[in-house]
């Protein structure tokens, strides 16, 4: 097999080289010889050969990425896109350091990961690829011994062997939940490690060039997702699926945080802490002390009830059984156990022992039941089950107990529930008897009165109260140095609640910190500007707060400092983090219940779960500033700071989920409502009538949709989606995107449906749900086609001048408007050049409109991987935007294989995060220049018009094109393969180009190497311009206008990936109609003319002569891609004769996988 592969590779290499050098005759001869040999292979020979070429291309891609990371690490020249280099450049150019600091800390970049309907790699293979990349990185270490290096090579051999013996094909069509798992897997695989590294690099660069550290709460970069929320044209994404995906994301977030917390608890073993952390620890112990007494009482009552049951079942008298039941009731209500039977007392003692505070002679805590019945299956039927009863393929759902983590839950010197080595047996004996009022208190509680104070569960946290009516009032806070409650004024852990968009109920942490808010205010007043910045705790430069704490510590005598901060025999950080762990575990259990279709356990008696990141950040921030106060700043800035950065970046759901639906679905839902209510048909109203009616309804406060209204399943699903959005809220969801937005009424319709859902949910929960409920998602119109882009100005003008919408935008969304631009459908509609110019002009107009209305604009770029869908190098794409369109905010989609390529490996992800940051920063502080001369705009208008006409004459108006497309590409077969959950068309009954989704449209042309959507029409436009004498103008535009220069460079790159020889082979074998073959010949001729025109504009001798590295990479891949293309042609020929042959379908999918690996940006 190896010999045959090498011979075929050599033939393909020679044919490709001869074609590049212009020797068409010799190249064609070798190509035909290669095709003849490959097409005569039996399937049992062809499939392994195709797999081998595909694996080679995947492995070479891993090696290329690894080499890029290694080169960046070892090169002496600075990376031009690095934070350090860009910050230095901006300051050299005259940017004030304070302005630079402000721009970076206020920056908001979000990458939204989307599922790829044509991504064929299984997640199993992606994991193995990641493992191989990690081994390559280890192999680069210079300190390895010969034995260690041999072991790594052996590991690589084993991974490659396992890769070869793994079935790379999906045997079932993936569900939206499967796709969501793949997206979440990226976080665990690479982003979890890359984000804190990126934050450290960014903070160090800021410190170097501005003198300030990155604020602890800063989130210059976030991630979003469409996986499980994008229902546009995908009936498989339902309201139930969206709810499952958000629960899955929160489960994984809790799981990842749990791992970090366990490691932190092992690390933070010190006994010095601030007063706020000490107070937190005391209250946690108080709450745990009271809760255990309740457990003992419940156990005693249960034992008595069991005694009654046993007595009745064994023929005992009714009177004795009744007495036992009455006794159990007394125990349950009064807490006394004096009248309990010996058996009940024994049961109570056993229960108490299992929760003993003392480590001496304490048995291991009982494990939760590991019964997995019903755990691995989701509500929703077939296709929803976890593979193997697992979530994300990490660990079993029901086995996530304390024993399964790498760091033991029982740490040295700490009780399982957060206690210490102190012997509390004496105090526990009394409380275990159930008489808390007269029991000796826990020593940490500081006295008998405080023992009766407990942290009572509230809606989202705990508040302190008395246990029983006769409990004493809480003791006053001690104020003397050395006492547990002493707090020096001005310490960050006394700064009060953290700022943020959430206002959860009181917790032990907030209560502990909030009581001294006045002290912080006074300290800020006395400390001047330094403490003013520090008073935000996390919102400003933390350097000033750190210096203040260091000065405070150095200005205090060691004896006094020790009296105030040392607590011998206790581990306060472990106690606090133990409580955090309990809540994370409760969060994970709750998500497991939701995912498994069970009713989540009530809050009574159970640990509270985390609803948002602010609740989790509070105790972590308190521990951070406590460490700095006690001289442990170097410890605080390690793993703990990394965790804080993760909390604010990923939140409690890792990636907020956007919802997307087509505008017509909302209109149909409202049409059903207006028809039922007798208002007429909404669909038949004019735009003015729709706006008038929608505005009137939104200004009112009465519900519109009757609860008992009959409706179709389609309308019901739309309304259920809005109800799910109202229930999940902003903690889980990001934006609601409206695809195919045609008018302002499309946006207003979604606002009305949102309001109705909020009111319904509020009514069901027994609370109000007014029109301006803060849970409203931001609504994002998506302009896609050429006509929609041209109409965007009028749509947004009408929205921003509507009184209700303008007030809504101001009060609910802070005068911020987001607009999404579709690169895919606009390119499919008008061709790449016309679409790019329309997008550019649309952005210019949107910037002007929003500035005129004092609205902050965020543009959301719906780019794909390939140039035909707006793809290309990140830095170039952002730097070529119109001036003013990037004002510190930027959203963009990343899809399919580009997610793996950019974020699948931690080192590459780190580089990508840095590139996004610096590109957005440059576009904000040094916007790209607009067209310097009006003539350039005139020429662009002409280029756009001619290219659009040329493109549409072929794609939309030629009667032969659709048939040729179906015959000469694998488009028809793509819909039958187990690739993505979304159908290839928005409406399956309509087989036109307009209903075909943009991704399979690009993907099919990439497979036959013609890549037609990325260049068709451009050659004709450039030729027309040059015939009119505009060549010097075009060359000046290429050199001096970033927009035009980047557009031409990307087209040149995609032209270098085309291969007319391969496209001709598809046509020769698969196209029978002579007229269609004439069309194919014309397309290849247009390709040649386009290449010539591009070379004239750029002045390059050959394609990519200015980028020899990429040119070499493409030439290295071609000898392995060409044979796969030839084999795919033969497989398609046989499959079209025998469409039900599963072996041929497998072979086709393997070939699609291999070509995608070789072409890289394929969809």
């Amino acid at each position: 097999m190896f010999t045959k592969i090498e011979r075929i590779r050599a033939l393909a290499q020679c044919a490709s080289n001869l074609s590049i050098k212009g020797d068409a005759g010799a190249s064609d001869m070798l190509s035909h010889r290669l095709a003849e040999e490959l097409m005569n292979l039996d399937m049992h020979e062809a499939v392994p050969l195709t797999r081998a070429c595909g694996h080679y291309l995947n492995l070479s891609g891993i090696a290329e990425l690894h080499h890029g990371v290694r080169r960046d690490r070892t090169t002496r020249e600075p990376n031009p896109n690095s934070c350090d280099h860009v910050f230095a450049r901006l300051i050299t150019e005259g940017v004030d350091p304070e302005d630079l600091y402000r721009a970076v800390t206020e920056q908001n970049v979000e990458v939204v990961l989307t599922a790829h309907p044509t991504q064929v790699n299984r997640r199993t293979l992606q994991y193995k690829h990641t493992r191989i990349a990690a081994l390559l990185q280890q192999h680069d270490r210079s300190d390895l011994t010969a034995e260690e290096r041999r072991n790594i090579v052996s590991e690589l051999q084993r991974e490659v062997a396992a890769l070869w013996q793994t079935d790379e094909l999906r045997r079932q069509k993936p569900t939206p939940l499967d796709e969501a798992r793949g997206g979440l897997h990226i976080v665990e695989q690479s982003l979890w490690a890359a984000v804190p590294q990126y934050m450290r690099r960014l903070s160090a660069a800021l410190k170097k060039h501005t003198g300030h550290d990155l604020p602890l709460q800063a989130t210059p970069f976030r991630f979003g997702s469409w996986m499980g929320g994008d229902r546009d044209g995908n009936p498989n994404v339902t309201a139930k699926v969206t709810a499952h995906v958000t629960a899955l994301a929160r489960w994984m977030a809790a799981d990842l945080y749990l791992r970090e917390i366990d490691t932190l608890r092992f690390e933070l073993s010190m006994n010095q802490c601030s007063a706020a952390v000490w107070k937190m620890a005391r209250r946690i112990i108080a709450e745990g002390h009271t809760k255990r007494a309740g457990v003992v009482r419940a156990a005693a009552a249960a034992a008595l009830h069991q005694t009654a049951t046993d007595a009745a079942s064994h023929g005992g008298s009714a009177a004795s059984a009744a007495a036992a039941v009455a006794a159990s009731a007394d125990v349950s209500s009064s807490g006394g156990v004096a009248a309990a039977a010996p058996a009940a007392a024994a049961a109570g003692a056993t229960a108490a022992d299992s929760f003993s505070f003392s480590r001496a002679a304490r048995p291991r805590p009982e494990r939760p039941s590991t019964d997995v019945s019903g755990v691995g299956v989701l509500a929703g039927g077939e296709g929803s089950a976890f593979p193997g009863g697992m979530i994300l393929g990490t660990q079993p759902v029901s086995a996530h107990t304390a024993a399964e983590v790498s760091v033991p839950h029982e740490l040295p010197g700490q009780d399982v529930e957060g206690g210490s080595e102190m012997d509390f047996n004496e105090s526990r004996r009394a409380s275990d008897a159930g008489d808390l009022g007269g029991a000796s208190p826990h020593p940490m509680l500081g006295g008998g009165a405080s023992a009766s104070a407990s942290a009572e569960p509230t809606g989202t946290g705990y508040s302190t109260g008395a246990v029983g009516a006769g409990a004493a009032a809480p003791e006053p806070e001690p104020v003397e140095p050395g006492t547990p409650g002493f707090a020096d004024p001005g310490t960050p852990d006394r700064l009060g609640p953290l700022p943020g968009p959430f206002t959860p109920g009181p917790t032990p942490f907030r209560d502990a910190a909030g009581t001294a808010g006045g002290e912080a205010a006074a300290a800020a007043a006395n400390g001047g500007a330094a403490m003013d910045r520090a008073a935000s705790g996390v919102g400003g430069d933390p350097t000033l707060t750190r210096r203040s704490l260091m000065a405070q510590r150095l200005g205090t005598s060691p004896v006094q400092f020790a009296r105030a901060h040392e607590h011998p025999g206790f581990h306060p950080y472990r106690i606090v983090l133990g409580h955090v762990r309990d809540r994370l575990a409760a969060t994970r259990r709750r998500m497991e219940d939701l995912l498994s279709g069970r009713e989540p356990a009530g809050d009574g008696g159970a640990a509270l779960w985390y609803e948002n990141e602010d609740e989790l950040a509070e105790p972590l921030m308190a521990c951070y500033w406590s460490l700095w106060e006690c001289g442990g700043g170097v410890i605080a800035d390690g793993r703990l700071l990394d965790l804080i950065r993760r909390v604010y970046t990923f939140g409690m759901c890792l990636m907020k989920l956007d919802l997307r639906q087509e505008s017509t679905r909302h209109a149909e839902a409202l049409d059903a409502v207006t028809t039922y209510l007798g208002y007429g048909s909404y669909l038949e109203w004019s735009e003015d009538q729709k706006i008038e009616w929608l505005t009137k309804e939104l200004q009112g406060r009465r519900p519109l949709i009757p609860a008992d209204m009959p409706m179709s399943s389609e309308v019901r699903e739309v309304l259920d989606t809005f109800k799910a959005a109202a229930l999940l809220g902003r903690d889980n969801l990001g934006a609601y995107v409206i695809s195919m937005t045609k008018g302002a009424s499309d946006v207003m319709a979604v606002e009305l449906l949102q309001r109705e859902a909020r009111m319904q949910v509020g009514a069901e929960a027994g609370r109000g749900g007014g029109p301006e409920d803060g849970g409203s998602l931001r609504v994002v119109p998506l302009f896609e086609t050429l006509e929609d882009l041209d109409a965007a100005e009028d749509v947004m003008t009408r929205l921003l001048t509507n009184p209700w919408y303008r007030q809504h935008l101001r009060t609910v969304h802070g005068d911020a408007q987001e607009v999404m631009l579709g690169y895919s459908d606009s390119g499919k509609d008008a061709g790449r050049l016309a679409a790019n110019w329309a997008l550019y002009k649309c952005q210019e107009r949107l910037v002007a409109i929003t500035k005129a209305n004092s609205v902050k604009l965020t543009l959301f770029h719906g780019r794909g991987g390939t140039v035909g869908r707006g793809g290309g190098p990140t830095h170039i794409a952002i730097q070529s935007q119109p001036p003013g369109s990037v004002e510190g905010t930027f959203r963009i989609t990343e899809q399919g294989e580009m997610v793996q390529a950019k974020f699948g490996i931690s080192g590459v992800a780190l580089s990508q995060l840095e590139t996004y940051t610096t590109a957005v920063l440059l576009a904000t502080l040094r916007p790209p220049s607009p067209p310097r001369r009006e003539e350039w705009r005139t020429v662009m208008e002409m280029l756009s018009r001619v290219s659009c006409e040329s493109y549409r004459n072929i794609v939309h108006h030629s009667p032969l094109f659709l048939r040729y497309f179906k015959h000469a590409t694998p488009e028809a077969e793509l819909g039958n393969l187990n690739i993505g959950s979304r159908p290839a068309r928005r409406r399956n009954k309509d087989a036109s180009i307009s209903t075909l989704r943009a991704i399979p449209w690009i993907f099919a042309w990439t497979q036959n190497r013609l890549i037609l959507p990325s260049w068709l029409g451009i050659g004709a436009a450039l030729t027309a311009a040059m015939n009119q004498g505009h060549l010097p103008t075009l060359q000046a535009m290429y050199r001096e206008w970033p927009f035009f220069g980047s557009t031409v460079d990307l087209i040149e790159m995609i032209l270098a990936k085309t291969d007319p020889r391969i496209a001709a082979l598809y046509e020769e074998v698969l196209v029978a109609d002579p007229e269609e073959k004439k069309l194919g010949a014309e397309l290849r001729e247009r390709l040649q003319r386009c290449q010539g025109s591009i070379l004239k504009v750029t002045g390059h001798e050959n394609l990519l002569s200015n980028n020899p590295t990429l040119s070499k990479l493409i030439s290295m891949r071609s000898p392995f891609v060409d044979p796969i293309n030839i084999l795919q042609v033969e497989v398609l020929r046989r499959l079209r004769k025998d469409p039900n042959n599963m072996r041929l379908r497998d072979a086709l999918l393997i070939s699609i996988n291999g070509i995608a690996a070789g072409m890289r940006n394929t969809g």
Side-chain angles (χ1 to χ4, degrees):
M1 174 60 73
F2 177 76
T3 303
K4 183 173 290 188
I5 291 173
E6 282 299 296
R7 182 170 174 276
I8 289 171
R9 183 194 62 79
L11 278 173
Q13 180 75 69
C14 291
S16 178
N17 290 341
L18 289 170
S19 177
I20 292 172
K21 292 178 180 179
D23 192 345
S27 176
D28 289 344
M29 182 190 70
L30 286 177
S31 296
H32 279 89
R33 182 178 173 185
L34 179 64
E36 182 180 355
E37 181 170 343
L38 288 172
M39 287 181 172
N40 289 326
L41 289 176
D42 292 332
M43 275 297 110
H44 73 273
E45 289 183 299
V47 170
L49 192 148
T50 306
R51 291 186 66 224
C53 292
H55 280 308
Y56 170 84
L57 291 166
N58 278 310
L59 293 172
S60 66
I62 296 170
E64 289 170 18
L65 289 173
H66 172 71
H67 176 68
V69 173
R70 178 173 56 190
R71 182 189 58 220
D72 291 343
R73 290 170 62 90
T74 58
T75 184
R76 294 182 180 180
E77 297 181 4
N79 179 0
N81 297 331
S82 69
C83 293
D84 186 42
H85 186 271
V86 170
F87 292 177
R89 168 187 157 187
L90 287 171
I91 289 178
T92 302
E93 292 175 357
V95 175
D96 184 85
E98 290 297 324
D99 292 338
L100 173 62
Y101 181 77
R102 189 179 306 108
V104 172
T105 55
E106 294 176 359
Q107 191 174 100
N108 184 10
V109 179
E110 185 173 1
V111 170
V112 180
L113 309 185
T114 71
H116 200 322
T118 49
Q119 186 184 13
V120 293
N121 267 340
R122 291 176 58 201
R123 199 161 68 247
T124 298
L125 266 66
Q126 295 170 12
Y127 172 81
K128 293 184 181 298
H129 292 164
T130 304
R131 171 67 178 153
I132 290 170
L135 289 169
L136 288 176
Q137 186 175 1
Q138 292 179 33
H139 190 265
D140 278 348
R141 287 179 50 182
S142 58
D143 60 342
L144 292 175
T145 65
E147 180 184 7
E148 290 171 336
R149 199 171 296 278
R150 284 195 305 270
N151 289 338
I152 292 174
V153 171
S154 297
E155 280 293 314
L156 278 168
Q157 291 173 338
R158 281 190 284 274
E159 288 294 338
V160 173
L163 196 64
W164 176 253
Q165 296 182 37
T166 298
D167 183 5
E168 61 262 56
L169 302 183
R170 291 193 183 102
R171 298 300 171 181
Q172 292 181 340
K173 201 171 186 67
T175 66
L177 202 61
D178 295 329
E179 292 171 338
R181 285 195 194 98
L184 294 171
H185 176 66
I186 286 290
V187 176
E188 183 178 23
Q189 174 181 316
S190 58
L191 295 179
W192 195 251
V195 163
Q197 287 181 276
Y198 152 76
M199 293 289 202
R200 287 182 179 280
R201 184 176 294 184
L202 180 60
S203 185
L206 279 175
K207 183 73 172 179
K208 176 180 178 181
H209 296 286
T210 70
H212 304 307
D213 278 318
L214 185 70
L216 305 187
Q217 204 178 20
T219 53
F221 207 100
R222 287 183 182 269
F223 294 91
S225 174
W226 276 13
M227 289 172 270
D230 184 7
R231 59 236 318 121
D232 177 19
N234 190 352
N236 300 310
V237 180
T238 63
K240 183 178 291 186
V241 166
T242 297
H244 279 316
V245 169
T246 54
L248 183 65
R250 292 180 76 94
W251 180 93
M252 185 175 179
D255 188 70
L256 290 171
Y257 289 134
L258 266 170
R259 303 179 202 177
E260 297 297 325
I261 289 294
D262 278 311
T263 307
L264 263 179
R265 290 174 67 209
F266 192 84
E267 181 178 303
L268 301 186
S269 56
M270 53 287 301
N271 63 2
Q272 285 191 352
C273 70
S274 66
V277 169
W278 179 238
K279 186 175 181 180
M280 290 179 193
R282 292 173 57 208
R283 293 195 173 175
I284 291 167
I285 290 296
E287 181 231 336
H289 185 71
T290 305
K291 187 180 292 184
R292 282 175 180 78
V295 170
V296 172
R297 290 194 295 270
L304 284 172
H305 188 274
Q306 185 64 40
T307 300
T309 304
D310 293 343
S313 63
H314 288 84
S317 68
S320 61
V325 171
S328 69
D330 289 341
V331 170
S332 179
S333 61
S334 68
V337 293
T350 303
D353 290 342
S354 67
F355 291 92
S356 172
F357 275 59
S358 172
R359 292 185 57 84
R362 185 189 63 199
R364 294 186 61 83
E366 296 179 3
R367 292 175 178 268
S369 169
T370 56
D371 176 25
V372 297
S373 60
V375 171
V377 180
L378 297 181
E382 212 170 317
S384 300
F386 301 136
M390 302 170 74
I391 299 179
L392 295 175
T394 50
Q395 296 175 355
V397 174
S398 61
H400 274 284
T401 59
E404 268 67 38
V405 295
S406 56
V407 178
H409 188 50
E410 296 182 56
L411 301 175
Q414 181 177 344
D415 178 81
V416 175
E417 296 294 331
S420 76
E421 291 177 341
M422 300 292 289
D423 186 3
F424 301 138
N425 284 344
E426 292 302 320
S427 62
R428 289 293 294 167
R429 289 190 190 104
S431 62
D432 285 352
D435 187 8
L436 272 175
S440 300
H442 191 302
M444 193 172 181
L445 303 183
S450 66
S452 62
S454 67
E456 296 295 334
T458 63
T460 56
Y462 293 89
S463 63
T464 56
V467 180
E475 63 177 348
E477 290 297 320
V479 293
E480 292 300 320
T483 58
F486 173 74
D488 290 318
T491 56
D493 38 43
R494 288 291 189 178
L495 295 176
L498 299 178
F502 308 100
T503 54
T507 67
F509 313 121
R510 177 173 282 109
D511 192 57
T515 53
E519 299 172 20
N526 294 331
M531 284 309 297
D532 179 61
R533 183 184 287 262
S536 63
V538 289
D541 177 15
T543 304
L544 300 174
T545 307
R546 293 166 181 162
R547 290 174 180 170
S548 174
L549 291 173
M550 290 175 64
Q552 176 183 297
R553 181 170 57 86
L554 294 174
T556 307
S557 70
V559 174
Q560 186 180 7
F561 187 86
R563 288 180 59 201
H565 295 84
E566 283 188 4
H567 308 285
F570 293 97
H571 301 89
Y573 298 107
R574 289 180 172 175
I575 296 171
V576 171
L577 294 178
H579 188 269
V580 171
R581 187 189 196 285
D582 289 344
R583 293 190 67 180
L584 286 170
T587 304
R588 192 174 60 183
R589 285 193 300 271
R590 183 180 180 86
M591 296 307 114
E592 289 174 8
D593 289 341
L594 292 172
L595 287 165
S596 301
R598 297 192 299 264
E599 185 69 23
D603 289 336
L608 294 174
W609 58 285
Y610 283 118
E611 294 190 52
N612 57 61
E613 61 265 32
D614 280 359
E615 293 179 9
L616 175 57
E618 280 185 83
L620 301 179
M621 292 296 299
C623 291
Y624 178 86
W625 289 119
S626 175
L627 287 168
W628 266 99
E629 181 179 338
C630 297
V634 67
I635 303 170
D637 285 338
R639 187 181 296 274
L640 178 56
L641 179 58
D642 287 347
L643 180 55
I644 291 170
R645 302 282 198 204
R646 289 185 178 110
V647 168
Y648 283 115
T649 299
F650 294 113
M652 288 306 300
C653 60
L654 298 182
M655 299 182 288
K656 287 190 177 181
L657 189 66
D658 281 0
L659 305 182
R660 183 169 78 132
Q661 182 59 280
E662 193 175 357
S663 59
T664 56
R665 296 293 301 275
H666 309 132
E668 290 166 0
L670 286 178
D671 183 73
V673 174
T674 58
T675 302
Y676 176 77
L677 296 176
Y679 297 162
S681 174
Y682 179 85
L683 293 175
E684 296 177 1
W685 294 350
S686 67
E687 178 70 5
D688 289 340
Q689 288 176 306
K690 291 177 181 178
I691 292 291
E692 181 182 357
W693 180 77
L694 290 166
T695 303
K696 180 181 177 182
E697 289 296 330
L698 285 164
Q699 288 172 340
R701 300 188 66 86
R702 64 174 177 82
L704 171 68
I705 304 175
D708 58 350
M709 186 186 95
M711 60 188 71
S712 66
S713 59
E714 290 80 8
V715 172
R716 171 64 63 191
E717 179 55 40
V718 170
L719 298 183
D720 285 348
T721 296
F722 281 102
K723 185 174 180 181
L727 288 167
L728 295 170
R730 293 183 184 178
D731 287 341
N732 299 286
L733 304 179
Y736 194 105
V737 180
I738 312 168
S739 58
M740 294 297 172
T741 301
K742 304 293 182 183
S745 63
D746 293 330
V747 177
M748 302 281 281
V750 171
E751 293 288 6
L752 178 59
L753 291 170
Q754 274 203 101
R755 190 203 70 162
E756 286 297 308
R758 292 197 309 274
M759 294 179 76
Q760 182 182 357
V761 169
E764 291 175 356
R767 55 178 171 78
E772 292 302 328
D773 187 350
S776 175
L777 303 182
R778 63 185 190 274
V779 180
V780 180
L782 167 54
F783 301 104
E784 301 179 80
T785 66
L786 201 64
E787 287 74 15
D788 293 344
L789 291 168
D790 291 339
E793 180 180 12
D794 293 336
V795 172
M796 295 310 301
T797 299
R798 188 154 194 177
L799 275 175
L800 296 179
T801 54
N802 180 282
W804 179 89
Y805 188 81
R806 189 66 187 85
Q807 180 64 23
H808 172 77
L809 203 65
R810 181 179 298 111
T811 57
V812 178
H813 301 294
D815 266 335
Q817 175 67 58
E818 185 175 324
V819 177
M820 185 171 184
L821 304 173
Y823 289 69
S824 305
D825 283 284
S826 59
K828 181 166 68 74
D829 175 42
R832 187 70 268 148
L833 187 61
N836 275 14
W837 181 234
L839 286 160
Y840 189 92
K841 292 189 297 180
C842 179
Q843 291 179 70
E844 287 184 317
R845 293 193 292 265
L846 290 175
V847 168
I849 294 167
T850 50
K851 284 188 176 179
N853 287 275
S854 301
V855 170
K856 171 88 171 168
L857 175 66
T858 296
L859 289 172
F860 184 8
H861 300 265
R863 294 175 177 267
T866 186
V867 172
R869 300 188 55 244
T874 301
H875 204 271
I876 293 176
I878 297 175
Q879 284 292 288
S880 61
Q881 301 302 310
S885 63
V886 181
E887 293 286 349
T889 62
F890 191 80
R891 288 191 95 208
I892 189 170
T893 57
E894 289 288 3
Q895 300 187 353
E897 84 287 348
M898 297 311 297
V899 174
Q900 279 293 326
K902 291 184 175 182
F903 301 108
I905 299 173
S906 183
V908 178
L910 176 62
S911 176
Q912 284 295 319
L913 296 176
E914 195 170 22
T915 298
Y916 269 111
T917 296
T918 56
V920 170
L921 181 66
L922 286 171
T924 301
L925 298 180
R926 290 290 184 267
S929 58
R932 292 188 179 179
R933 295 193 290 272
E934 191 61 31
E935 180 191 7
W936 292 4
R937 285 187 175 273
T938 304
V939 171
M940 270 308 306
E941 288 290 348
M942 187 268 291
L943 291 174
S944 174
R945 185 182 66 256
V946 174
S947 68
C948 181
E949 291 175 357
S950 176
Y951 177 90
R952 285 180 170 176
N953 284 339
I954 292 289
V955 173
H956 296 291
H957 304 318
S958 171
L960 297 172
F961 180 78
L962 186 58
R963 297 206 307 269
Y964 179 82
F965 172 53
K966 288 179 174 297
H967 293 151
T969 73
E971 184 271 335
E973 288 76 14
L974 286 174
N976 298 323
L977 300 175
N978 296 321
I979 295 179
S981 71
R982 188 166 65 179
R985 295 182 181 274
R986 280 193 167 93
R987 294 176 292 277
N988 289 327
K989 294 181 180 179
D990 188 352
S992 66
I993 294 295
S994 61
T995 62
L996 180 69
R997 303 204 72 96
I999 297 176
W1001 160 250
I1002 297 284
F1003 193 79
W1005 285 111
T1006 304
Q1007 288 288 302
N1008 79 346
R1009 307 277 289 281
L1010 195 58
I1011 323 180
L1012 177 140
S1014 298
W1015 57 263
L1016 183 61
I1018 295 173
L1022 293 176
T1023 300
M1026 287 186 284
N1027 290 340
Q1028 296 179 21
H1030 290 303
L1031 179 58
T1033 302
L1034 292 172
Q1035 292 173 335
M1037 291 164 62
Y1038 173 72
R1039 291 191 305 269
E1040 302 173 28
W1041 188 11
F1043 162 75
F1044 187 75
S1046 65
T1047 300
V1048 171
D1049 283 341
L1050 292 174
I1051 293 167
E1052 181 181 13
M1053 181 268 289
I1054 213 67
L1055 289 173
K1057 291 187 174 185
T1058 62
D1059 194 327
R1061 298 177 305 115
I1062 298 296
L1065 179 64
Y1066 277 77
E1067 178 187 304
E1068 178 185 342
V1069 176
L1070 302 174
V1071 178
D1073 189 341
E1075 294 300 318
E1076 292 179 30
K1077 288 190 175 184
K1078 286 183 182 179
L1079 176 61
E1082 180 187 347
L1083 293 176
R1084 291 193 297 278
E1085 184 180 345
R1086 287 178 178 238
L1087 172 62
Q1088 298 293 341
R1089 290 201 299 266
C1090 184
Q1091 290 175 342
S1093 300
I1094 288 291
L1095 290 176
K1096 288 180 181 179
V1097 171
T1098 61
H1100 299 156
E1101 184 178 352
N1102 298 302
L1103 293 174
L1104 293 182
S1105 60
N1106 65 326
N1107 193 344
T1109 301
L1110 180 57
S1111 179
K1112 184 177 180 180
L1113 289 175
I1114 293 173
S1115 65
M1116 288 172 59
R1117 297 173 197 155
S1118 293
F1120 291 90
V1121 182
D1122 292 354
I1124 304 178
N1125 277 117
I1126 295 170
L1127 289 168
Q1128 186 182 85
V1129 171
E1130 179 61 18
V1131 169
L1132 284 170
R1133 184 185 69 81
R1134 299 184 191 184
L1135 187 60
R1136 288 174 181 177
K1137 292 180 179 179
D1138 185 9
N1140 295 320
N1141 190 317
M1142 298 307 298
R1143 189 175 181 189
L1144 289 173
R1145 285 193 177 191
D1146 287 352
L1148 177 61
L1149 192 52
I1150 291 171
S1151 68
I1152 288 173
N1153 192 358
I1155 295 169
M1159 299 297 288
R1160 299 300 165 85
N1161 44 357
T1162 60

